[in-house]
Amino acid sequence: MIYVKEIIESPRVGAYTLITIDGRAGSGKSTLARYLADVYHATVFQSDDFSGWENALDWQSNFIAVVLTPLAENRLPITYQPVSWWDGHHPELKVVEQVNQIIILEGTGANHSLLENISSLRLFVDTPTHLCLERGIERDVAAGIPIDEVRARWNEWQHKEDEYFLNNPVVGSITTLDGQKDFQLQIT
């Protein structure tokens, strides 16, 4: 069992404590982030707002510049334009007026070495690739994206993830959670 309360007392981004949640797309990162946000009243940022097909796994420096640097300098609100992932996807400008003491960053690549020294807790959600694929396709089809486009994108995405994790091994202190089990039984 992982006890987050012991870790959140060590802020590394100004007065804020950063928790990063990494893993493959469809592994359960967002579910874990929602759970922890509910328990600890955390503010959640998603890598999907900072990455897109053009920079799918090379978004961390943008997140640091747009979110973490202003927070470390106590500059609020934080304003940013989330990226578009597909034709017709036009996300609205985000203005974050208030940020709670705990910040959760979830997304593939969240445990990148650029974030290693400023993250107080680094989590990795480990889920079999075939289950991630099933979850991801189901989610994207439910969002109204045509199945043929979804399958093609997921095939491309999984190749990018394979290459990313091969070239960016997770190093340092990482806690791994099982994406097939209830997170409440693994972390509190």
Side-chain angles (χ1 to χ4, degrees), residues 37-148:
D38 287 345
V39 172
Y40 294 101
H41 309 288
T43 302
V44 177
F45 291 93
Q46 298 175 313
S47 68
D48 287 354
D49 285 347
F50 301 92
S51 63
W53 288 112
E54 296 77 30
N55 69 330
L57 295 163
D58 185 27
W59 51 267
Q60 297 83 2
S61 58
N62 186 32
F63 175 76
I64 291 169
V66 171
V67 175
L68 296 184
T69 299
L71 283 179
E73 298 170 354
N74 283 322
R75 288 189 284 126
L76 287 171
I78 296 171
T79 304
Y80 61 94
Q81 178 63 56
V83 300
S84 174
W85 276 84
W86 60 85
D87 292 340
H89 177 231
H90 305 289
E92 293 182 18
L93 182 73
K94 289 198 177 179
V95 179
V96 181
E97 299 280 348
Q98 178 181 346
V99 176
N100 295 330
Q101 187 222 343
I102 301 171
I103 305 163
I104 297 172
L105 169 62
E106 69 90 3
T108 303
N111 286 330
H112 190 279
S113 60
L114 287 175
L115 297 164
E116 180 178 3
N117 293 327
I118 53 179
S119 178
S120 296
L121 177 61
R122 301 169 71 213
L123 302 172
F124 187 88
V125 180
D126 188 24
T127 306
T129 306
H130 73 277
L131 183 55
C132 292
L133 180 63
E134 289 173 22
R135 290 175 177 176
I137 288 175
E138 181 179 319
R139 177 187 62 208
D140 290 353
V141 168
I145 305 168
I147 187 69
D148 292 339

